[in-house]
Amino acid sequence: MGMTDTRARIGEAELLDIAGPGSVISGADLREREPGYFMDGIRADLLVRPSTTEQVAAILSLCNARQQPVVVHGGVSGWVRATQTRPGEIILSMERMNAIERIDGENRSAIVQAGVILQNFQETVEKQGLCFPLDLGGRGSCQLGGNASTNAGGMRVLRYGMMREQVLGLEVVLADGRIVSSMNSMLKNNTGYDLKQLFIGSEGTLGVITRLVLRLREMPVSCNTAIVAVQTMSAVASLLRKVDAGLGGQLSAFELIDSDFFGVNTSEGRLRSPFAKRSPYYVIIESQGADSTRDANIFESVLAEAMETGLVSDAIIAASEQQRADIWAIRETLEHVVSDFTPFYAFDVSLTVGEMEAYMKRVRADLAQTFPDGKIAFLGHVGDGNLHIAIGAGGPDDRHAVEECVYRPLGAIGGSVSAEHGIGLEKKPWLPISRNAEELAVMRQLKDLFDPQRILNPGKVLTINAR
């Protein structure tokens, strides 16, 4: 069936019958909604907002029978155009499925609907002395179901792992409307295939996550934060090992900022630099523990040793929560680099720490050769091998050439074109750099198995021939 045939297949009235009054948005109201980063508008015909898993199942069953393409929307805070829509498609928004159903303090777990916003969940569990350690810049808008469907990462991966490690169980609706409820709440359950792992990171192409069982941790009592100046990437790698060993498992963040990104955010009229002079690299180091006095002493001692051995040339330790926030603002503020780097490109790659220095030099050199006036800055969660790259180069037709500079060198070193943002449409042409032919073939087989009509998030992640 062609796209023009599917556009009129499902009407607003049919969706209203399933999801109830006020559940469907269309026309000008739909066009006014936020489409997501790097997208110039919503092209879908309708948006439906179910409030229960059963409604999601009924909607997908109807769409599957009519071969109606469906794109799931969570917080639309992703950076790879995984939620981009086209005419003839329907948006399935999870915004009304936003209930925190249960917090089990004894088991340190929670049951939530997929539309719960990450920050709201964090603040709720903190009131019970617990924490949900996944943390990223989009915390105020991203939804937990979207965090799972993209296997989100963020600042705490070094200590707690990615979203995959936080999910104990989940409930998912398949393309044909079947509800697969695997709401396991145990840390250990070795009974055959771990079905939830198929849907975590699948970006809505295999099923729609509706509910999750999430693992919670004890709320840390202490938090110590510093920003340090480092002269070389080899020193950054050595510093990572030193502080991780010295802090005895309490290292929770190790964030790299290069001189270019630091300079953009601390230029005149912007954020204040805590240092008197510029350094090639900066690292934000944060530890979390259970004894405020003891942990602060250990933290200061480890940093003092790093300075004595020459790994660190200068260091600022936050003495208050405001100073901690000021330090993190240098890393998390993106508005200035977006405005200064035109056209702006954002990249999210992964590679071993030992390969980073050579890779960064190669990308800089390739970009300079192709775009002599281009701008580039590196930052990221270097503690877990994740580099973010900000580039401003070329014109509106030069995207592929810019991407070539970033992605091509990853093939020879076994790197990944996506560390935590997923594939979507943005990185689909480059997926073969990180996945071999056999892996891609199995991924296509899974798509055929779970979504034979290919209605779920069509065109995203994989290139699959039409039926």
Side-chain angles (χ1 to χ4, degrees), residues 97-408:
M97 295 190 64
N98 57 9
I100 299 173
E101 297 181 2
R102 182 186 181 195
I103 297 175
D104 185 345
E106 191 171 50
N107 193 53
R108 290 184 292 187
S109 65
I111 298 175
V112 301
Q113 291 183 329
V116 173
I117 292 174
L118 172 59
Q119 185 172 339
N120 294 346
F121 182 58
Q122 291 172 324
E123 292 173 353
T124 299
V125 301
E126 284 172 7
K127 293 175 183 177
Q128 299 197 25
L130 297 168
C131 83
F132 183 65
L134 182 79
D135 195 30
L136 52 151
R139 64 183 71 84
S141 59
C142 65
Q143 297 175 6
L144 293 169
N147 295 150
S149 71
T150 59
N151 189 30
M155 272 77 77
R156 309 291 178 205
V157 172
L158 175 64
R159 180 166 177 177
Y160 297 102
M162 296 180 72
M163 183 65 172
R164 191 179 300 278
E165 282 71 46
Q166 320 311 323
V167 180
L168 298 175
L170 55 75
E171 181 177 79
V172 63
V173 181
L174 302 184
D176 60 7
R178 282 181 293 165
I179 300 172
V180 179
S181 188
S182 185
M183 297 288 281
N184 168 74
S185 60
M186 297 172 286
L187 287 176
K188 302 176 75 172
N189 184 352
N190 207 13
T191 52
Y193 305 143
D194 191 357
L195 297 178
K196 68 177 182 291
Q197 300 297 350
L198 291 171
F199 302 99
I200 299 172
S202 68
E203 301 180 51
T205 61
L206 300 182
V208 177
I209 297 171
T210 52
R211 296 165 69 231
L212 306 102
V213 185
L214 299 175
R215 182 182 181 186
L216 304 177
R217 316 296 175 108
E218 293 297 329
M219 189 69 184
V221 173
S222 71
C223 181
N224 293 283
T225 307
I227 183 168
V228 302
V230 186
Q231 298 302 308
T232 67
M233 275 302 296
S234 60
V236 170
S238 298
L239 178 64
L240 172 60
R241 290 199 61 183
K242 182 169 188 60
V243 297
D244 199 10
L247 293 173
Q250 292 187 348
L251 180 63
S252 59
F254 191 91
E255 296 286 311
L256 176 74
I257 307 169
D258 80 347
S259 182
D260 294 296
F261 188 86
F262 187 91
V264 168
N265 272 352
T266 59
S267 60
E268 186 176 355
R270 295 178 177 177
L271 304 176
R272 187 184 68 83
S273 171
F275 298 103
K277 60 180 181 179
R278 288 273 288 276
S279 175
Y281 302 101
Y282 302 88
V283 177
I284 296 175
I285 302 169
E286 190 163 273
S287 70
Q288 294 177 326
D291 186 324
S292 297
T293 301
R294 174 182 175 275
D295 296 340
N297 290 336
I298 293 174
F299 190 77
E300 292 175 11
S301 175
V302 170
L303 289 185
E305 291 177 11
M307 291 192 71
E308 290 172 4
T309 57
L311 293 177
V312 170
S313 58
D314 202 354
I316 304 293
I317 298 177
S320 67
E321 185 57 35
Q322 182 58 55
Q323 289 182 11
R324 176 180 179 271
D326 291 343
I327 287 173
W328 276 107
I330 297 173
R331 162 64 176 84
E332 292 195 300
T333 300
L334 298 177
E335 61 184 276
H336 303 309
V337 74
V338 171
S339 65
D340 289 5
F341 286 26
T342 305
F344 176 71
Y345 300 98
F347 298 94
D348 155 54
V349 302
S350 185
L351 62 159
T352 61
V353 176
E355 297 280 3
M356 282 187 179
E357 185 171 21
Y359 171 77
M360 293 164 71
K361 288 180 179 178
R362 167 76 183 276
V363 175
R364 283 187 184 278
D366 289 355
L367 187 74
Q369 183 176 12
T370 309
F371 303 101
D373 298 326
K375 298 179 179 179
I376 185 170
F378 292 89
L379 66 157
H381 322 300
V382 69
D384 52 52
N386 181 184
L387 275 180
H388 295 306
I389 309 168
I391 291 178
D397 298 325
D398 291 320
R399 172 176 289 276
H400 183 85
V402 174
E403 291 176 340
E404 183 85 21
C405 296
V406 173
Y407 294 138
R408 191 61 61 190

